[in-house]
Amino acid sequence: MVTITPPTFIPPIGPTTSQSGDRNKGENFSKPGQLLNAMVLETKGANRFLLDISGQRLTAESQAALAPGQTLQLQVVKTTPQIELKIVTSTPDQFFGRSITLLGKNIDLTELFQAFKQQTPSPISTLPPPTRNILNNFLALQQEFLSDKNGGQVIKRLIDQLGLGFENALARGDKAAAGSSLKAALLDIANIFQNVENIAESTTRLLTIIELFQLAQLHSQSDRQFILPLPLPFIEQGYLLVKYNDGNKSGNRDSNLEKRFSLHLTMAELGNIQIDFLKTEDVLYIRFRTDSQEKADFAALYSEQLKSAVSGTGHINLSFSADAPDPIADLIQHLIPEGNSIINTKA
């Protein structure tokens, strides 16, 4: 690819929520993986095009067949020595206008309840009873203590109640299933309080996170992997990735005995953590990946306690390493397909 002098500044496109106001207006492309929206304004010949990216016009070069009026989503490939962008999709409904970083934010109703309390009197009592009950039940479930006996069931109930299958339920005509989800309750609140700023912002943020996880699953290799949010208040960012390789569906007995999944987390005191699980017929392999060797060594000190806490399995093989990726950057690698490269050439 030809090296061309890039533009010196392009304002980033932030999330559709109030968080965008916190960004520095002079910010450059922050890091590889950032997503931007663009529109093709005109073709200039020789694989060169005039684009509008966040309100700034740029001439760019690409081998892709672009047409005026076409909307694009671009991913930052690298920022030095030249800024290079990759066309992720030309379809406006795939993550359009949203920040991928929202995928890692926790689904926590505390902010929404605080927004209700800021109104005098609090309007939460005026909500339709089904909507109010869904909110209260979900919040109570989030605050349950995750003991070794009920932890898995609590997490399953939280995920099931989010509404990740909301549209599918409506398409099946199952209005009861769709209407009993958190997404349905939030859509109801968004409609009722669309003119109450703090409630509308909090509701929009929560809806955006749920919808981005829906899109994450839609645009992943959905027949081989599942991406599930972890709506637990003590997790800053997190999701569960369950993978099935081709062998799991091949009918091979040995392959069917393997179970694989990974926890991708960011926690306040521990930073980035990835925990990989592989369960075979005889052995449970667990690999702890942290973002520093110091943390990996610290976790390794509790190997025996961990082994004694895990029940219902045979031999446990533990390993520890210091190569945990950022969960959101790692998720992007699963979601973003290969696309055509594009280089910004001048402002």
Side-chain angles (χ1 to χ4, degrees):
M1 192 172 289
V2 180
T3 300
I4 303 173
T5 303
T8 57
F9 169 73
I10 302 176
I13 294 180
T16 57
T17 67
S18 61
Q19 293 178 358
S20 60
D22 296 332
R23 292 182 180 269
N24 187 328
K25 294 184 178 181
E27 184 182 358
N28 197 327
F29 286 117
S30 59
K31 59 183 178 179
Q34 181 184 359
L35 298 182
L36 302 168
N37 296 318
M39 175 177 286
V40 181
L41 299 178
E42 63 180 87
T43 59
K44 303 175 79 67
N47 298 320
R48 292 164 66 85
F49 306 89
L50 181 63
L51 305 181
D52 183 295
I53 303 179
S54 189
Q56 184 164 344
R57 295 189 174 191
L58 305 167
T59 300
E61 179 183 87
S62 175
Q63 298 299 316
L66 305 178
Q70 186 176 7
T71 56
L72 306 171
Q73 189 164 76
L74 308 177
Q75 180 190 19
V76 180
V77 176
K78 64 179 184 178
T79 57
T80 57
Q82 271 73 38
I83 296 173
E84 293 186 14
L85 306 175
K86 179 172 67 177
I87 299 174
V88 175
T89 175
S90 57
T91 308
D93 63 348
Q94 297 179 0
F95 300 111
F96 187 78
R98 300 175 179 179
S99 169
I100 194 73
T101 58
L102 275 178
L103 277 169
K105 298 300 181 182
N106 189 25
I107 299 171
D108 186 355
L109 298 187
T110 304
E111 179 184 330
L112 178 58
F113 275 86
Q114 290 176 344
F116 279 119
K117 291 180 180 178
Q118 289 173 5
Q119 304 296 315
T120 305
S122 174
I124 193 168
S125 60
T126 66
L127 289 173
T131 297
R132 187 169 63 250
N133 290 338
I134 290 171
L135 288 182
N136 288 329
N137 291 340
F138 195 89
L139 181 64
L141 199 58
Q142 282 191 315
Q143 296 174 341
E144 281 198 25
F145 178 71
L146 300 182
S147 68
D148 55 351
K149 295 181 179 180
N150 74 342
Q153 285 300 316
V154 170
I155 294 173
K156 182 180 185 302
R157 288 168 61 192
L158 283 169
I159 294 173
D160 288 344
Q161 291 180 22
L162 282 174
L164 299 176
F166 178 84
E167 287 75 13
N168 287 337
L170 289 179
R172 296 193 309 268
D174 192 349
K175 294 183 180 179
S180 62
S181 67
L182 179 63
K183 182 171 183 178
L186 293 173
L187 287 170
D188 194 21
I189 294 170
N191 181 57
I192 296 172
F193 297 101
Q194 56 184 304
N195 296 321
V196 183
E197 184 177 359
N198 57 345
I199 296 177
E201 287 182 356
S202 180
T203 305
T204 298
R205 185 185 71 83
L206 291 166
L207 278 170
T208 299
I209 298 169
I210 293 174
E211 290 171 354
L212 282 175
F213 269 105
Q214 290 180 288
L215 289 171
Q217 183 60 54
L218 178 64
H219 297 297
S220 73
Q221 303 173 53
S222 56
D223 61 332
R224 291 183 293 171
Q225 69 180 24
F226 296 90
I227 302 168
L228 302 171
L230 296 174
L232 299 170
F234 56 85
I235 296 176
E236 290 188 353
Q237 300 178 346
Y239 58 92
L240 173 66
L241 179 63
V242 181
K243 291 185 178 181
Y244 298 95
N245 56 34
D246 293 334
N248 290 122
K249 298 188 177 183
S250 66
N252 181 283
R253 182 177 181 273
D254 292 334
S255 296
N256 288 330
L257 293 174
E258 293 186 355
K259 300 177 182 179
R260 299 173 181 266
F261 62 95
S262 299
L263 290 171
H264 299 250
L265 310 170
T266 297
M267 302 181 73
E269 301 298 330
L270 299 176
N272 297 331
I273 304 172
Q274 180 172 324
I275 309 174
D276 301 316
F277 297 82
L278 168 60
K279 178 68 170 67
T280 66
E281 185 177 20
D282 302 315
V283 183
L284 172 62
Y285 297 90
I286 305 177
R287 180 174 62 165
F288 281 84
R289 303 168 64 184
T290 64
D291 55 17
S292 74
Q293 189 60 52
E294 181 182 7
K295 295 175 185 177
D297 294 339
F298 177 79
L301 294 175
Y302 296 88
S303 297
E304 294 305 317
Q305 289 94 321
L306 177 61
K307 288 182 180 180
S308 63
V310 178
S311 60
T313 188
H315 181 67
I316 300 175
N317 186 306
L318 295 176
S319 61
F320 302 86
S321 63
D323 58 348
D326 178 273
I328 302 309
D330 195 57
L331 184 58
I332 290 174
Q333 299 302 316
H334 293 284
L335 301 184
I336 305 302
E338 289 300 322
N340 297 288
S341 294
I342 190 166
I343 302 180
N344 295 314
T345 58
K346 65 180 181 180

